Amino acid sequence: MAIARDIVAETPNDLAAKARIQSAKLPDLLIEARHIANTLVSGFHGRRKRGTGDNFWQFRPYVEGEPVSRIDWRRSARDDHIYLRDREWAAAQTVWILPDQSASMHYQSRFSPIAKDSYAMLMALTLCDLFARSGERVAVPGLMAPTSSRNAAEEMALNFAALKEPYEYGHFLDINHHSHMIILSDFLDDPEEIRKKFASLTSANVTQHFVEICDPAEERFPYHGRVEFFDPETRQHYLAGRSETFHDAYLRLYQARRQSLTDFAKISGSSYHIAPTDKKMSTVILALAAMVGQASGYRRG
């Protein structure tokens, strides 16, 4: 639900216009995503695990019983120790990235420098660029097939720019088993409906990472006096004469919804992250990168 003063109802044409505006922002968001990715890349370790592959990772001391063929004799000749040459683990994972662009995501209060949909898209493009650089395959459900191209972020931006209406997540028929899915949304729907929507992914061994994009006004409810509230999803209006009287009840419901989804994430083996639009997204991005990079027990999907 959007929270703001003097909001007017938006028609489908209004939402289509916003979709076109968001598409026009994509080149700038892509540039900013590249800038963020370049800043974070030194702290992003990707898939650096020991295993079979072509890229050198490290030298380590030989342990009795290991294959002699893996000994690096040139390195071992430098001192009195025998060293093995380890290669970096080469199996790629598929990471599905889902930036919700539905009506409630258009919201931006005076406390935030960016709307929720733009923040979600910026984070999605940054994650796409980082994962593609590390050799993972990235995709968008229903929009972009898995790709390991170094230009994956540009491909994602082009796919979103070609949309005629806002992108909303729905069915996940194209999601392959044993992959990761990062969902960037405000999760303002009924928590029970959200749990039902993603339950099928849990049974398919898809590791889910929920990132709640929230405007600071949604977390604080900083309103006083006469305020009209409008829900862009249901198109309902409510005019509050003394909006401050709803402050405590609203915050209880807001936090209960968040706790319900956090509990669902824990039970299903997923992760849950909070990303306020007035804060830098680097902490959440690095946390997601670490979780995907350290994942094990999956197969190439």
Side-chain angles (χ1 to χ4, degrees):
M1 174 178 287
I3 304 173
R5 290 184 182 273
D6 303 323
I7 298 179
V8 269
E10 295 175 292
T11 67
N13 288 336
D14 294 329
L15 295 176
K18 285 194 172 184
R20 290 193 293 271
I21 293 172
Q22 179 69 351
S23 295
K25 294 178 183 176
L26 280 167
D28 291 337
L29 292 175
L30 182 60
I31 293 171
E32 180 64 17
R34 276 285 167 81
H35 174 72
I36 296 172
N38 288 335
T39 303
L40 297 179
V41 73
S42 61
F44 179 70
H45 302 294
R47 299 172 291 106
R48 295 193 65 82
K49 302 178 186 177
R50 189 168 71 245
T52 58
D54 298 323
N55 298 324
F56 168 74
W57 181 24
Q58 66 177 2
F59 292 114
R60 64 178 178 83
Y62 171 78
V63 177
E64 186 177 354
E66 295 187 285
V68 177
S69 60
R70 292 177 54 198
I71 294 176
D72 190 291
W73 296 107
R74 180 175 296 179
R75 175 66 184 86
S76 301
R78 297 179 190 173
D79 50 40
D80 297 330
H81 299 282
I82 298 177
Y83 291 93
L84 294 183
R85 183 182 184 90
D86 275 339
R87 290 186 172 86
E88 187 175 355
W89 188 50
Q93 301 181 91
T94 299
V95 183
W96 298 86
I97 304 174
L98 196 165
D100 183 10
Q101 299 289 287
S102 58
S104 67
M105 292 290 288
H106 294 311
Y107 180 61
Q108 177 184 1
S109 75
R110 66 181 185 273
F111 304 103
S112 174
I114 186 171
K116 292 189 293 184
D117 58 346
S118 294
Y119 190 92
M121 184 62 69
L122 179 58
M123 183 179 288
L125 292 169
T126 305
L127 288 166
C128 184
D129 190 49
L130 281 173
F131 285 128
R133 290 191 197 191
S134 73
E136 311 290 11
R137 290 173 294 179
V138 289
V140 179
L143 189 64
M144 186 176 87
T147 177
S148 56
S149 168
R150 293 296 292 264
N151 295 322
E154 286 91 339
E155 184 177 343
M156 178 185 286
L158 287 171
N159 276 285
F160 274 102
L163 287 174
K164 302 301 182 183
E165 56 187 28
Y167 177 79
E168 298 184 43
Y169 58 79
H171 299 292
F172 305 121
L173 299 178
D174 53 349
I175 306 299
N176 48 322
H177 290 204
H178 304 278
S179 58
H180 289 261
M181 176 179 278
I182 299 173
I183 307 103
L184 311 168
S185 176
D186 52 17
F187 301 117
L188 292 181
D189 295 325
D190 182 350
E192 182 59 32
E193 292 299 317
I194 293 175
R195 287 193 289 268
K196 290 179 180 178
K197 190 183 293 282
F198 293 101
S200 61
L201 295 178
T202 302
S203 61
N205 292 321
V206 175
T207 303
Q208 299 165 73
H209 307 278
F210 297 95
V211 181
E212 182 185 329
I213 310 296
C214 56
D215 188 280
E218 294 173 327
E219 291 192 302
R220 303 172 195 166
F221 198 85
Y223 298 103
H224 301 272
R226 186 182 175 88
V227 178
E228 182 183 24
F229 299 98
F230 168 63
D231 186 340
E233 304 284 352
T234 64
R235 319 202 65 75
Q236 293 180 329
H237 290 254
Y238 181 79
L239 183 62
R242 296 178 58 204
S243 57
E244 64 272 16
T245 61
F246 295 99
H247 178 271
D248 293 346
Y250 167 85
L251 289 184
R252 281 197 300 271
L253 289 171
Y254 189 85
Q255 293 300 329
R257 172 203 58 86
R258 177 177 287 176
Q259 188 60 53
S260 175
L261 293 173
T262 302
D263 293 341
F264 167 70
K266 289 180 180 178
I267 294 172
S268 63
S270 308
S271 66
Y272 200 88
H273 311 264
I274 310 298
T277 56
D278 62 336
K279 306 294 183 185
K280 291 184 178 180
M281 58 183 68
S282 55
T283 301
V284 173
I285 289 175
L286 288 177
L288 291 168
M291 289 179 179
V292 173
Q294 294 170 6
S296 60
Y298 60 84
R299 62 191 178 197
R300 194 178 182 94

